[in-house]
Amino acid sequence: MRVKVYYVLITCLFFLYNVSTNAQEKINKFDLNGKRDGIWKKYYPNNNIRYQGTFKAGKEVGVFKYYDITNATQPTIIKTFKPNSSLATVNFYTVKGILKSTGTMDGKKRIGTWLYYYPDGKTLMIEENYKNNELEGSYKSYYRTGKISELLNYTSGKLNGNIKRYADNGVLLEDLNYINGNLNGPAIYYAGNGKIISSGNYKNNERIGTWVVNEEDRQKKSNNLKQ
């Protein structure tokens, strides 16, 4: 009887060993072509997990989670890879799990619309657009109240076209124009009460021509003022 129990015990232990070994064998493996395949996990020197996710023939698939060296429970980056694509939806978090930003990446490049949040993780702070990892198109920043702070435009990572900046009460403060990252064209600066402080034209970041400047309800003109 004891021999039979002993035999059963040995059989169970052998089975559990095989299950454990097989499970371990499925981690961090390569396929026949030498490409990462299946579940992968990497760790920091302090043995906290660094990232975990699944590869198929060397390509990331599904959800990947990345962790800070100080926190092995809350991922600071979560990437969700789209099927049959190099694109991934990416969320960045603080070590406490509060959302910081979200958008799309193509490999290591940001593309499309990205949203950034205030420290509460809910209130929108910035909405910007990317093309090949460079700012492209409209850029909006917001006060905590939800009111617009800035309306900018970018081309290939540089300010281009009309931009406007506002006070937190909604009053327009700056109405400027840029070409290839430099101030060019008409410019108007406003006081907090909505009155014009100064207006004129720029060329390559320098004030040119006649500028009208208001000081204590008096107007005076100054020529070729430097910024």
Short mmCIF file of all heavy atoms in Angstrom, two decimals, residues 123-159:
data_model
loop_
_atom_site.label_atom_id
_atom_site.label_comp_id
_atom_site.label_asym_id
_atom_site.label_seq_id
_atom_site.Cartn_x
_atom_site.Cartn_y
_atom_site.Cartn_z
N THR A 123 -7.92 65.86 -16.88
CA THR A 123 -8.08 67.18 -17.50
C THR A 123 -7.10 67.36 -18.64
O THR A 123 -5.88 67.27 -18.44
CB THR A 123 -7.89 68.30 -16.46
OG1 THR A 123 -8.76 68.08 -15.36
CG2 THR A 123 -8.19 69.66 -17.08
N LEU A 124 -7.62 67.61 -19.84
CA LEU A 124 -6.77 67.75 -21.03
C LEU A 124 -5.92 69.00 -20.93
O LEU A 124 -6.41 70.10 -20.66
CB LEU A 124 -7.64 67.78 -22.28
CG LEU A 124 -6.92 67.84 -23.62
CD1 LEU A 124 -6.06 66.59 -23.82
CD2 LEU A 124 -7.93 67.97 -24.76
N MET A 125 -4.62 68.85 -21.20
CA MET A 125 -3.68 69.97 -21.15
C MET A 125 -3.21 70.38 -22.54
O MET A 125 -3.15 71.56 -22.88
CB MET A 125 -2.47 69.61 -20.28
CG MET A 125 -1.44 70.72 -20.15
SD MET A 125 -0.15 70.34 -18.92
CE MET A 125 0.57 68.84 -19.62
N ILE A 126 -2.88 69.39 -23.38
CA ILE A 126 -2.34 69.67 -24.73
C ILE A 126 -2.91 68.67 -25.72
O ILE A 126 -3.02 67.47 -25.41
CB ILE A 126 -0.80 69.59 -24.75
CG1 ILE A 126 -0.20 70.70 -23.87
CG2 ILE A 126 -0.26 69.70 -26.18
CD1 ILE A 126 1.31 70.58 -23.71
N GLU A 127 -3.24 69.15 -26.89
CA GLU A 127 -3.63 68.30 -28.02
C GLU A 127 -2.76 68.68 -29.20
O GLU A 127 -2.82 69.81 -29.68
CB GLU A 127 -5.10 68.51 -28.36
CG GLU A 127 -5.60 67.67 -29.54
CD GLU A 127 -7.07 67.90 -29.84
OE1 GLU A 127 -7.73 68.62 -29.07
OE2 GLU A 127 -7.55 67.38 -30.87
N GLU A 128 -1.94 67.76 -29.65
CA GLU A 128 -1.02 68.06 -30.75
C GLU A 128 -1.01 66.93 -31.77
O GLU A 128 -1.49 65.83 -31.51
CB GLU A 128 0.39 68.31 -30.22
CG GLU A 128 0.99 67.16 -29.46
CD GLU A 128 2.30 67.51 -28.77
OE1 GLU A 128 2.57 68.71 -28.57
OE2 GLU A 128 3.07 66.59 -28.44
N ASN A 129 -0.46 67.22 -32.95
CA ASN A 129 -0.44 66.25 -34.04
C ASN A 129 0.99 66.04 -34.54
O ASN A 129 1.79 66.98 -34.58
CB ASN A 129 -1.33 66.74 -35.19
CG ASN A 129 -2.79 66.72 -34.81
OD1 ASN A 129 -3.46 65.70 -34.90
ND2 ASN A 129 -3.31 67.86 -34.37
N TYR A 130 1.26 64.79 -34.91
CA TYR A 130 2.60 64.42 -35.36
C TYR A 130 2.58 63.77 -36.75
O TYR A 130 1.60 63.12 -37.13
CB TYR A 130 3.24 63.42 -34.39
CG TYR A 130 3.75 64.03 -33.12
CD1 TYR A 130 2.92 64.18 -32.02
CD2 TYR A 130 5.07 64.46 -33.01
CE1 TYR A 130 3.38 64.74 -30.84
CE2 TYR A 130 5.55 65.01 -31.83
CZ TYR A 130 4.70 65.15 -30.75
OH TYR A 130 5.16 65.70 -29.59
N LYS A 131 3.68 63.95 -37.45
CA LYS A 131 3.94 63.25 -38.69
C LYS A 131 5.41 62.89 -38.70
O LYS A 131 6.27 63.76 -38.63
CB LYS A 131 3.59 64.11 -39.91
CG LYS A 131 3.77 63.40 -41.25
CD LYS A 131 3.38 64.31 -42.41
CE LYS A 131 3.56 63.60 -43.74
NZ LYS A 131 3.19 64.50 -44.88
N ASN A 132 5.69 61.58 -38.74
CA ASN A 132 7.08 61.11 -38.69
C ASN A 132 7.84 61.68 -37.50
O ASN A 132 8.98 62.14 -37.61
CB ASN A 132 7.81 61.46 -39.99
CG ASN A 132 7.29 60.68 -41.17
OD1 ASN A 132 6.88 59.52 -41.05
ND2 ASN A 132 7.27 61.32 -42.34
N ASN A 133 7.17 61.70 -36.35
CA ASN A 133 7.78 62.11 -35.08
C ASN A 133 8.04 63.61 -34.98
O ASN A 133 8.75 64.06 -34.09
CB ASN A 133 9.09 61.35 -34.82
CG ASN A 133 9.29 61.08 -33.34
OD1 ASN A 133 8.35 60.79 -32.61
ND2 ASN A 133 10.52 61.18 -32.88
N GLU A 134 7.47 64.40 -35.91
CA GLU A 134 7.59 65.85 -35.85
C GLU A 134 6.20 66.48 -35.75
O GLU A 134 5.23 65.96 -36.33
CB GLU A 134 8.29 66.40 -37.09
CG GLU A 134 9.76 66.04 -37.17
CD GLU A 134 10.44 66.69 -38.36
OE1 GLU A 134 9.79 66.83 -39.42
OE2 GLU A 134 11.63 67.07 -38.23
N LEU A 135 6.12 67.58 -35.03
CA LEU A 135 4.84 68.28 -34.92
C LEU A 135 4.37 68.73 -36.29
O LEU A 135 5.15 69.30 -37.07
CB LEU A 135 4.98 69.49 -33.99
CG LEU A 135 5.10 69.16 -32.49
CD1 LEU A 135 5.52 70.40 -31.71
CD2 LEU A 135 3.79 68.61 -31.96
N GLU A 136 3.09 68.47 -36.57
CA GLU A 136 2.53 68.79 -37.88
C GLU A 136 1.06 69.16 -37.70
O GLU A 136 0.28 68.43 -37.10
CB GLU A 136 2.65 67.61 -38.83
CG GLU A 136 2.18 67.87 -40.24
CD GLU A 136 3.15 68.68 -41.07
OE1 GLU A 136 4.36 68.68 -40.72
OE2 GLU A 136 2.72 69.29 -42.07
N GLY A 137 0.69 70.34 -38.22
CA GLY A 137 -0.71 70.75 -38.13
C GLY A 137 -1.01 71.48 -36.83
O GLY A 137 -0.15 72.13 -36.24
N SER A 138 -2.24 71.36 -36.38
CA SER A 138 -2.70 72.15 -35.24
C SER A 138 -2.16 71.65 -33.90
O SER A 138 -1.90 70.47 -33.71
CB SER A 138 -4.24 72.15 -35.20
OG SER A 138 -4.72 70.85 -34.92
N TYR A 139 -1.98 72.61 -33.01
CA TYR A 139 -1.53 72.36 -31.65
C TYR A 139 -2.41 73.21 -30.74
O TYR A 139 -2.55 74.42 -30.95
CB TYR A 139 -0.06 72.74 -31.50
CG TYR A 139 0.48 72.74 -30.08
CD1 TYR A 139 1.36 71.75 -29.66
CD2 TYR A 139 0.15 73.74 -29.18
CE1 TYR A 139 1.88 71.75 -28.37
CE2 TYR A 139 0.66 73.75 -27.88
CZ TYR A 139 1.51 72.76 -27.49
OH TYR A 139 2.02 72.77 -26.21
N LYS A 140 -3.01 72.59 -29.72
CA LYS A 140 -3.87 73.33 -28.79
C LYS A 140 -3.43 73.03 -27.37
O LYS A 140 -3.23 71.87 -27.01
CB LYS A 140 -5.33 72.92 -28.97
CG LYS A 140 -5.91 73.19 -30.34
CD LYS A 140 -7.35 72.67 -30.44
CE LYS A 140 -7.92 72.87 -31.83
NZ LYS A 140 -9.30 72.33 -31.94
N SER A 141 -3.30 74.07 -26.58
CA SER A 141 -3.07 73.88 -25.15
C SER A 141 -4.21 74.52 -24.38
O SER A 141 -4.84 75.48 -24.86
CB SER A 141 -1.73 74.47 -24.72
OG SER A 141 -1.70 75.87 -24.92
N TYR A 142 -4.49 73.99 -23.19
CA TYR A 142 -5.66 74.39 -22.42
C TYR A 142 -5.29 74.73 -20.99
O TYR A 142 -4.36 74.16 -20.41
CB TYR A 142 -6.70 73.25 -22.39
CG TYR A 142 -7.19 72.82 -23.75
CD1 TYR A 142 -6.50 71.85 -24.48
CD2 TYR A 142 -8.35 73.34 -24.30
CE1 TYR A 142 -6.94 71.43 -25.72
CE2 TYR A 142 -8.81 72.93 -25.54
CZ TYR A 142 -8.09 71.98 -26.25
OH TYR A 142 -8.53 71.57 -27.48
N TYR A 143 -6.04 75.67 -20.42
CA TYR A 143 -5.97 75.89 -18.99
C TYR A 143 -6.76 74.78 -18.29
O TYR A 143 -7.53 74.05 -18.92
CB TYR A 143 -6.57 77.26 -18.63
CG TYR A 143 -5.73 78.43 -19.11
CD1 TYR A 143 -6.12 79.16 -20.24
CD2 TYR A 143 -4.57 78.81 -18.43
CE1 TYR A 143 -5.36 80.24 -20.67
CE2 TYR A 143 -3.80 79.88 -18.88
CZ TYR A 143 -4.20 80.59 -19.99
OH TYR A 143 -3.44 81.64 -20.42
N ARG A 144 -6.58 74.65 -16.99
CA ARG A 144 -7.29 73.62 -16.24
C ARG A 144 -8.80 73.77 -16.35
O ARG A 144 -9.56 72.81 -16.19
CB ARG A 144 -6.87 73.65 -14.77
CG ARG A 144 -5.47 73.10 -14.52
CD ARG A 144 -5.16 73.17 -13.04
NE ARG A 144 -3.84 72.61 -12.73
CZ ARG A 144 -3.61 71.35 -12.42
NH1 ARG A 144 -4.63 70.50 -12.40
NH2 ARG A 144 -2.40 70.91 -12.16
N THR A 145 -9.24 75.00 -16.60
CA THR A 145 -10.67 75.26 -16.72
C THR A 145 -11.26 74.74 -18.02
O THR A 145 -12.48 74.70 -18.19
CB THR A 145 -10.94 76.76 -16.64
OG1 THR A 145 -10.22 77.43 -17.70
CG2 THR A 145 -10.49 77.33 -15.31
N GLY A 146 -10.38 74.36 -18.96
CA GLY A 146 -10.83 73.90 -20.26
C GLY A 146 -10.76 74.98 -21.33
O GLY A 146 -10.95 74.70 -22.52
N LYS A 147 -10.47 76.22 -20.92
CA LYS A 147 -10.35 77.31 -21.88
C LYS A 147 -9.03 77.21 -22.64
O LYS A 147 -8.02 76.75 -22.11
CB LYS A 147 -10.47 78.66 -21.19
CG LYS A 147 -11.87 78.96 -20.69
CD LYS A 147 -11.98 80.39 -20.15
CE LYS A 147 -13.41 80.70 -19.74
NZ LYS A 147 -13.55 82.09 -19.26
N ILE A 148 -9.06 77.68 -23.88
CA ILE A 148 -7.88 77.62 -24.74
C ILE A 148 -6.77 78.54 -24.22
O ILE A 148 -7.02 79.69 -23.86
CB ILE A 148 -8.24 78.02 -26.18
CG1 ILE A 148 -9.05 76.92 -26.86
CG2 ILE A 148 -6.99 78.30 -27.00
CD1 ILE A 148 -8.23 75.69 -27.21
N SER A 149 -5.55 78.02 -24.19
CA SER A 149 -4.37 78.81 -23.85
C SER A 149 -3.61 79.22 -25.11
O SER A 149 -3.21 80.38 -25.26
CB SER A 149 -3.45 78.01 -22.94
OG SER A 149 -2.22 78.67 -22.77
N GLU A 150 -3.43 78.26 -26.03
CA GLU A 150 -2.70 78.52 -27.27
C GLU A 150 -3.35 77.81 -28.44
O GLU A 150 -3.84 76.68 -28.28
CB GLU A 150 -1.24 78.05 -27.17
CG GLU A 150 -0.38 78.80 -26.18
CD GLU A 150 1.02 78.22 -26.15
OE1 GLU A 150 1.14 76.99 -25.98
OE2 GLU A 150 1.99 78.99 -26.30
N LEU A 151 -3.33 78.44 -29.59
CA LEU A 151 -3.69 77.82 -30.86
C LEU A 151 -2.51 78.02 -31.80
O LEU A 151 -2.27 79.13 -32.28
CB LEU A 151 -4.95 78.45 -31.44
CG LEU A 151 -6.28 78.17 -30.74
CD1 LEU A 151 -7.39 78.99 -31.38
CD2 LEU A 151 -6.62 76.68 -30.82
N LEU A 152 -1.77 76.95 -32.05
CA LEU A 152 -0.57 77.04 -32.87
C LEU A 152 -0.70 76.16 -34.11
O LEU A 152 -1.57 75.30 -34.19
CB LEU A 152 0.66 76.60 -32.07
CG LEU A 152 0.82 77.16 -30.65
CD1 LEU A 152 2.08 76.60 -30.02
CD2 LEU A 152 0.85 78.68 -30.66
N ASN A 153 0.20 76.38 -35.06
CA ASN A 153 0.27 75.55 -36.27
C ASN A 153 1.72 75.20 -36.56
O ASN A 153 2.60 76.07 -36.45
CB ASN A 153 -0.35 76.27 -37.46
CG ASN A 153 -1.87 76.35 -37.37
OD1 ASN A 153 -2.56 75.38 -37.60
ND2 ASN A 153 -2.37 77.52 -37.01
N TYR A 154 1.95 73.95 -36.91
CA TYR A 154 3.31 73.47 -37.19
C TYR A 154 3.41 72.84 -38.57
O TYR A 154 2.45 72.24 -39.07
CB TYR A 154 3.73 72.43 -36.15
CG TYR A 154 4.10 73.00 -34.81
CD1 TYR A 154 3.14 73.20 -33.83
CD2 TYR A 154 5.42 73.34 -34.51
CE1 TYR A 154 3.47 73.72 -32.59
CE2 TYR A 154 5.77 73.86 -33.27
CZ TYR A 154 4.79 74.04 -32.31
OH TYR A 154 5.13 74.56 -31.10
N THR A 155 4.58 72.98 -39.16
CA THR A 155 4.94 72.26 -40.38
C THR A 155 6.34 71.70 -40.19
O THR A 155 7.29 72.45 -39.93
CB THR A 155 4.92 73.19 -41.61
OG1 THR A 155 3.62 73.77 -41.75
CG2 THR A 155 5.26 72.40 -42.87
N SER A 156 6.46 70.38 -40.27
CA SER A 156 7.76 69.71 -40.11
C SER A 156 8.46 70.12 -38.82
O SER A 156 9.67 70.36 -38.78
CB SER A 156 8.67 69.98 -41.31
OG SER A 156 8.08 69.50 -42.49
N GLY A 157 7.69 70.24 -37.74
CA GLY A 157 8.26 70.52 -36.44
C GLY A 157 8.52 71.98 -36.14
O GLY A 157 9.01 72.32 -35.05
N LYS A 158 8.17 72.88 -37.07
CA LYS A 158 8.41 74.30 -36.86
C LYS A 158 7.11 75.09 -36.93
O LYS A 158 6.22 74.75 -37.71
CB LYS A 158 9.39 74.84 -37.91
CG LYS A 158 10.78 74.22 -37.82
CD LYS A 158 11.72 74.81 -38.87
CE LYS A 158 13.11 74.21 -38.75
NZ LYS A 158 14.04 74.79 -39.77
N LEU A 159 7.03 76.15 -36.12
CA LEU A 159 5.85 77.00 -36.16
C LEU A 159 5.66 77.58 -37.55
O LEU A 159 6.62 78.07 -38.17
CB LEU A 159 5.98 78.14 -35.14
CG LEU A 159 5.76 77.76 -33.67
CD1 LEU A 159 6.19 78.91 -32.76
CD2 LEU A 159 4.31 77.38 -33.41
#
